[in-house]
Amino acid sequence: MNRDLASWRGCPRPAFRPIEGRYVVLEPMDPARHGDDLFEAGASDPADWAFSADGPFATREAFQGWMEGKSGLSDPMFFAIVDRASGRAEGRLAFMRIDAGNGVIETGSILYGPRLKRTRGATEAIFLQARHVFEDLGYRRFEWKCDARNAPSRRAAARLGFAYEGTFAQHMVVKGENRDTAWFSMLDRDWPARKAAFEAWLDEGNFDAAGRERVKLGAVG
């Protein structure tokens, strides 16, 4: 999509409202509603926080303080990923580094609990973000960034259709260590093809009776 930007006036910011999908709902993160579920989903597991500036949190009380400090922020904007079948919050993510004037927004602070990892809901959560960004809000660029050493995050970005753009050396200091940051993007001109791939992969017909995918995400669309 090559836009005529002569009349560009920017985009609206995301709002704190649920974003509903078939398998999951992205709900504005609420410490009272989601706190117990999200603590169980991995707040104390060091592996889940290895590349994060925060955490892990050994106690529910410590995690409550973190949630209260993060919920309601305008940037990053945290959402709980709620499984529609169980009603439990099985993970969370955020819209962040929101540049409404230029139509640029990032997904980040992603944590999936063990029941969410490698499920249709995990993929749908990013699809819901992307669809909201491009179709509801009209953004031009959707970003994914991660520590360059974080191989699982890099693989996830590529699988989900984000294009690798390069690595920013010595970009940050996190927990007393250097962080080189790998940058990935999805652009508005990419979205029609990415959307078709997501929808084909998420279709019930792409899964057998045991819930196993018939065709991988990168091979559909």
Side-chain angles (χ1 to χ4, degrees), residues 102-122:
N102 290 300
V104 180
I105 194 167
E106 179 181 341
T107 182
S109 199
I110 300 168
L111 189 149
Y112 289 167
R115 287 186 293 263
L116 182 60
K117 291 177 180 177
R118 294 176 292 279
T119 67
R120 280 173 271 189

Side-chain angles (χ1 to χ4, degrees), residues 155-163 184-187 190 194 198 217:
R155 288 194 298 269
R159 173 184 174 271
L160 292 164
F162 290 84
F184 299 80
S185 74
M186 188 183 300
L187 306 181
D190 304 325
R194 298 291 184 269
F198 274 119
L217 179 58

Side-chain angles (χ1 to χ4, degrees), residues 132-205:
H132 185 55
V133 162
F134 291 123
E135 297 186 8
D136 299 333
L137 303 178
Y139 277 67
R140 303 172 60 233
R141 176 180 171 88
F142 188 36
E143 296 182 331
W144 177 297
K145 302 188 186 82
C146 64
D147 191 306
R149 300 169 297 174
N150 190 346
S153 184
R154 295 179 68 138
R155 288 194 298 269
R159 173 184 174 271
L160 292 164
F162 290 84
Y164 173 65
E165 295 184 328
T167 296
F168 279 33
Q170 296 186 191
H171 178 226
M172 301 171 68
V173 177
V174 177
K175 292 179 178 174
E177 295 185 351
N178 174 65
R179 168 173 151 164
D180 299 336
T181 299
W183 288 53
F184 299 80
S185 74
M186 188 183 300
L187 306 181
D188 55 355
R189 64 173 178 255
D190 304 325
W191 177 239
R194 298 291 184 269
K195 179 183 181 181
F198 274 119
E199 290 181 335
W201 188 86
L202 289 165
D203 187 83
E204 291 284 355

Side-chain angles (χ1 to χ4, degrees), residues 12 14 25 27 49 59 97 100 117 143 165 179:
V25 180
E27 296 183 357
W49 298 80
T59 67
R97 305 187 190 281
K117 291 177 180 177
E143 296 182 331
E165 295 184 328
R179 168 173 151 164

Side-chain angles (χ1 to χ4, degrees), residues 61-128:
E61 181 181 11
F63 183 60
Q64 181 72 12
W66 178 86
M67 288 195 70
E68 290 175 353
K70 298 296 185 182
S71 63
L73 291 177
S74 61
D75 191 352
M77 297 176 65
F78 280 87
F79 289 77
I81 305 169
V82 177
D83 179 78
R84 292 187 72 97
S86 69
R88 289 190 302 258
E90 301 289 7
R92 47 92 171 154
L93 41 62
F95 289 119
M96 58 196 302
R97 305 187 190 281
I98 302 166
D99 182 355
N102 290 300
V104 180
I105 194 167
E106 179 181 341
T107 182
S109 199
I110 300 168
L111 189 149
Y112 289 167
R115 287 186 293 263
L116 182 60
K117 291 177 180 177
R118 294 176 292 279
T119 67
R120 280 173 271 189
T123 295
E124 187 182 49
I126 302 299
F127 167 66
L128 294 175

